[in-house]
Amino acid sequence: MASGTKHTGAQLLARSLKQQGVTVVFGIVGIPVVEVAEAIQAEGIRFVGFRNEQSCAYAASVWGYLTQTPGVCLVVSGPGVVHALAGVVNSQVNAWPLVLVGGACETALEGAGAFQEALQVEMCRPYAKYSARPPSIAQIPATVERAFTHAVAGRPGASYVDLPADYIQGCSLSDAAGGDGVEGLRRFTRVAAQANPADVRRAADILANASSPLVVVGKGAAYARAETEIRTFVDKYGAPFLPTPMGKGVVPDAHPLNVSSARSAALRGADVVLLLGARVNWLLHFGRRFSPAAQIIQIDVCPEEFGVNIPVSVALQGHLPLVVQQLIDAVSGAYAPSPATTPYVSGLLEHAQRNAAKQDAKYASDAVPMGYHRAFHEIKRRLPADVVLVSEGANTMDIARTVFDFQEPRRRLDCATYANMGVGMGFAIAAQLAYPASRVVAVVGDSAFGFSAMELETAVRARLPLVVVVINNNGIYFGLDQGDYDAAEKRGPLPSTALTPDVRYELIAHAVGARGFLVRTPEELGCAVDDALQHDGLTLINCLIAPGGQQKLQFAWMAGS
């Protein structure tokens, strides 16, 4: 490259992303970032244009989780960055790597009431590990490098890069050697560390003396790719394990020591709890369901998580696969001569079998309209083994976690730690791009689907063969059938949770060039799922279930917390 060659800021940004190994960017274009998207495409990077900034930011967020590389999102200035903050916060709370690139007004017009002017660097800073504007056009590559490094280093999270319009359209000259500052950039790397060996020995001693140990597998274990080590440890040590919703599949759900169906009893009965990439937050009831006498061993990459809500007996900081391997080497064998026959384990397994029998009775119900369990059963028994399931909604997600099983990690996606609705379509689109050889099935509540329904068009345009099942109960948590809805409307204001009965969501699919089915019975649902899985395009199934009527609202995960 000759000395004095001009490079626009858009070109430098695009080349920097390519240097960091980026293969796909999610976003929405407009002034001033159209040139950025065009430069990204010119570098051979796929740009997936969405209809709403929240959805594309969610897609980039979960891309980071699925690939261990920062998901990249490109949005316009002002309102675009405001909307994309939802994905930034989601990544930061879940510890997933993301880099948001936002356009900004011209630097010379700041403070003059410029088009979509906002304090975007300041806006993102509380919710990101790194938030910066390059000092100059020439320093765009170095700022991108730092953004990626911050996103993956230590506890992963979000970064923000601010790109003013005059940077995007302006030019920087190459240096005397003809370089543009991109070639010399280092690609982001993850530093993996082991835990303190003395602490590992202390943990091994506690595990050796446990009489009723429990292993809790969090989504951090899935992100860290620790499945090989954790499966080896569970088999060697013989303790029952409990996965959190997105920790499912790190150890196969079919493993005989899985006590998910006896969750409460397992949490109460354990005298030693080994937390593997699992935070003691609302998902684990803030630790309040553990025995007060239980000893806690916690492995996490982030030391600030140790001791949150409950005391920790041993804290092991480090990269989860490496630390679990240290434990494998440190424990001499199973905690008991025959763990599966101990009263503790056999009691949990019997408890799980009783709960499973109760579930089976719900699966067999022939009632129409269907309940959640029968609908989920019809879907579950048709899914391929390598399916990626996106689960979104209140009751839809809460009940689904007890129904669908996973034998491989990172195959169940839900609203995760931040519990935000609207992630479903963005997650599904990103998952299909990350797993092109697998089917992606999104099972979403009708209220949750409403947050991102127009992303159906995004998926069709991107030629992604998603299967979207809308579990339609006419409301948020619970809805009303037509008769109850009409009566409630005559009496006074409708319940705040009510949605219009029997909305024809499948017609939205038809409108954007996809296929749609309306189903009311188990037989119709089963046939529609079979058909959708055979189709090479997008299919939406609008599944009408029992509305539930006006009931007391209670989210099972929050009960008793």
Side-chain angles (χ1 to χ4, degrees), residues 90-112:
N90 189 65
S91 287
Q92 191 73 353
V93 171
N94 283 297
W96 299 343
L98 173 141
V99 174
L100 173 67
V101 178
C105 70
E106 294 91 336
T107 54
L109 295 178
E110 288 184 330

Side-chain angles (χ1 to χ4, degrees), residues 6-233:
K6 293 183 177 180
H7 313 281
T8 67
Q11 291 171 327
L12 287 176
L13 185 282
R15 294 196 64 212
S16 299
L17 294 179
K18 187 173 183 178
Q19 180 76 1
Q20 294 299 327
V22 175
T23 59
V24 60
V25 171
F26 308 93
I28 299 181
V29 299
I31 296 172
V33 300
V34 173
E35 294 94 334
V36 177
E38 291 174 346
I40 285 169
Q41 291 175 316
E43 290 294 334
I45 299 171
R46 182 171 185 174
F47 179 79
V48 181
F50 276 68
R51 304 300 293 268
N52 178 281
E53 286 94 354
Q54 287 187 16
S55 290
C56 62
Y58 290 144
S61 179
V62 84
W63 179 271
Y65 169 71
L66 293 172
T67 68
Q68 273 192 322
T69 62
V72 180
C73 182
L74 174 69
V75 297
V76 301
S77 52
V81 175
V82 171
H83 296 161
L85 266 176
V88 171
V89 179
N90 189 65
S91 287
Q92 191 73 353
V93 171
N94 283 297
W96 299 343
L98 173 141
V99 174
L100 173 67
V101 178
C105 70
E106 294 91 336
T107 54
L109 295 178
E110 288 184 330
F115 177 72
Q116 294 186 337
E117 180 181 355
L119 298 174
Q120 295 165 189
V121 173
E122 292 84 349
M123 186 190 309
C124 293
R125 186 166 287 134
Y127 308 107
K129 294 179 65 181
Y130 178 81
S131 182
R133 171 185 292 180
S136 66
I137 297 174
Q139 289 175 284
I140 288 174
T143 301
V144 170
E145 179 193 277
R146 285 193 289 272
F148 273 77
T149 297
H150 278 270
V152 299
R155 177 179 177 175
S159 292
Y160 173 67
V161 176
D162 201 55
L163 214 58
D166 49 320
Y167 283 28
I168 292 171
Q169 299 163 357
C171 293
S172 174
L173 295 177
S174 58
D175 59 27
D180 58 8
V182 175
E183 293 89 343
L185 292 182
R186 65 186 179 93
R187 186 169 174 178
F188 70 89
T189 56
R190 287 175 291 273
V191 177
Q194 291 184 321
N196 185 323
D199 292 334
V200 173
R201 288 192 294 272
R202 287 175 53 219
D205 288 342
I206 291 173
L207 290 168
N209 291 295
S211 59
S212 52
L214 177 68
V215 177
V216 178
V217 183
K219 75 174 183 297
Y223 173 81
R225 307 308 199 258
E227 52 267 22
T228 298
E229 291 80 6
I230 293 176
R231 292 176 186 188
T232 300
F233 177 81

Side-chain angles (χ1 to χ4, degrees), residues 24 26 46-50 428-430 432-433 455-466 512 536-538:
V24 60
F26 308 93
R46 182 171 185 174
F47 179 79
V48 181
F50 276 68
I429 289 168
Q432 191 66 81
L433 291 169
E455 303 306 343
L456 288 176
E457 188 274 334
T458 302
V460 170
R461 182 166 22 95
R463 300 191 179 280
L464 302 177
L466 304 179
V512 300
D536 61 358
L538 189 147

